[in-house]
Amino acid sequence: MHLTRFRLNAARPGARKLIASPQALHAAVMSSFPDLLPSAADQPRVLWRLDRNGNAELQLYVVSAGRPDLTHLVEQAGWPAAAATGTPGWRTYGYAPFLDRLGKGDIWNFRLTANPVHSVRVRDGQPTKRTAHVTTRHQIDWLLGRQEIGGFRIQEKPQDRRHTEHGDLHQLVVRDQRSLEFRKTGSKAPVTIKTVTYDGRLEVTDSDALRKILTEGLGKAKAYGCGLMTLAPLAT
C-alpha cells in the first residue's frame, strides 16, 4: 500500500478545474495508474481526498495498492518548472509499515472527509431514498455510529470542556461542509453530493478493522473524494 501527497497550484486554470469537479479529479487520480482498467470491477480501491487548508494550500492525498505517477497532474495543476529541476511535485510513502504498527489502545489525531447519508422513506409503500445528513448533530452521530465496525473510539472531552446541552462531548470538529454538483459522463441528470470534513482524536480498539477503513474507506461516494481517513501523531 502507498500513501501519496500532492500539492495543487491554485493559481493554475487546470487546478481550478479539478477543484471544481470531483468527477474530473477522480478521472485525473485514476489516470495515475496505468495498470488499472476503468471498466474492471475487481480492481483495487483507490481512495483520495482534497484538503483545503487555505486559499493557496490545497493538498491531494491518495491511498492505493499501486504506486502512482502524477506527472500529468504536475503539468496540469502543479509546478512543472520546479519538477524540471528534479523535484517530482509529489511524494509517495510506503503505507504498509505504518499500518502494521497500529495497535489497540493507540491514540491518534485523524481527519476524514465523508458523505454522511441515511435512508428515508417519504411515503408508505415507496422505496427508501438516500438522503444527506444536513445538521452537525446528525453528521456527528453518523460517525459515532460507525466506531465499532471501524475499529476506533472517538475520544471524549475532559469534563470541564464539555457542553452537554449541545451534545458536545467528543474531541471532534465538523468543518468544511460542501454541496458538490456535477454530471457523470454521458448523463444529463446532475449528481449532488454533500461532504463534510471531520477533525478529531481517536483510540484504536481493533487494529485490523481500522486498517480496513484506512485502506478501503468509510461511507459512500468514495470515487468522489469521500471515505479517506488519515492519522497523525498527537502534538508533543
Side-chain angles (χ1 to χ4, degrees):
M1 296 300 298
H2 298 84
L3 172 67
T4 299
R5 182 179 65 189
F6 171 79
R7 185 182 175 193
L8 283 80
N9 182 353
R12 305 198 66 190
R16 293 195 293 269
K17 176 183 176 182
L18 294 176
I19 294 165
S21 171
Q23 175 81 350
L25 189 48
H26 167 71
V29 169
M30 297 307 294
S31 296
S32 305
F33 303 93
D35 295 333
L36 294 184
L37 300 176
S39 59
D42 58 347
Q43 62 189 9
R45 167 69 67 181
V46 175
L47 299 173
W48 61 271
R49 186 183 77 219
L50 181 62
D51 283 5
R52 298 169 170 85
N53 299 320
N55 291 334
E57 183 66 23
L58 299 164
Q59 299 278 359
L60 174 67
Y61 290 88
V62 180
V63 167
S64 57
R67 191 179 187 92
D69 181 351
L70 303 184
T71 303
H72 63 297
L73 273 177
V74 174
E75 295 170 349
Q76 180 181 358
W79 282 266
T85 64
T87 303
W90 73 90
R91 298 191 68 177
T92 296
Y93 308 87
Y95 206 21
F98 171 78
L99 296 172
D100 291 342
R101 289 197 302 271
L102 289 176
K104 184 177 181 180
D106 293 349
I107 298 177
W108 297 88
N109 290 327
F110 75 90
R111 175 169 289 179
L112 165 71
T113 293
N115 171 227
V117 297
H118 64 300
S119 295
V120 298
R121 194 186 308 276
V122 179
R123 293 185 179 88
D124 291 341
Q126 291 188 349
T128 58
K129 180 181 180 182
R130 188 180 297 165
T131 305
H133 286 300
V134 297
T135 67
T136 300
R137 180 68 263 162
H138 288 146
Q139 291 162 353
I140 289 175
D141 288 343
W142 177 89
L143 183 57
L144 294 177
R146 281 148 184 79
Q147 293 178 103
E148 183 175 358
I149 193 173
F152 62 89
R153 179 170 56 244
I154 297 175
Q155 296 287 280
E156 294 187 354
K157 291 181 177 180
Q159 289 284 350
D160 59 350
R161 292 177 53 202
R162 296 182 182 182
H163 301 283
T164 53
E165 67 273 18
H166 303 299
D168 185 17
L169 303 178
H170 296 86
Q171 298 187 51
L172 180 65
V173 175
V174 178
R175 63 175 187 83
D176 200 23
Q177 301 189 41
R178 295 176 181 270
S179 291
L180 308 176
E181 185 173 301
F182 57 95
R183 283 178 170 80
K184 292 185 178 181
T185 303
S187 175
K188 295 182 179 179
V191 176
T192 301
I193 296 174
K194 187 171 184 65
T195 70
V196 299
T197 297
Y198 301 89
D199 284 329
R201 182 168 294 181
L202 61 76
E203 177 185 350
V204 181
T205 58
D206 183 332
S207 53
D208 288 336
L210 183 56
R211 276 190 282 268
K212 183 178 177 69
I213 292 295
L214 295 176
T215 56
E216 298 182 15
L218 181 64
K220 305 294 184 181
K222 296 183 182 72
Y224 303 113
C226 296
L228 174 55
M229 175 186 283
T230 52
L231 306 181
L234 305 184
T236 57

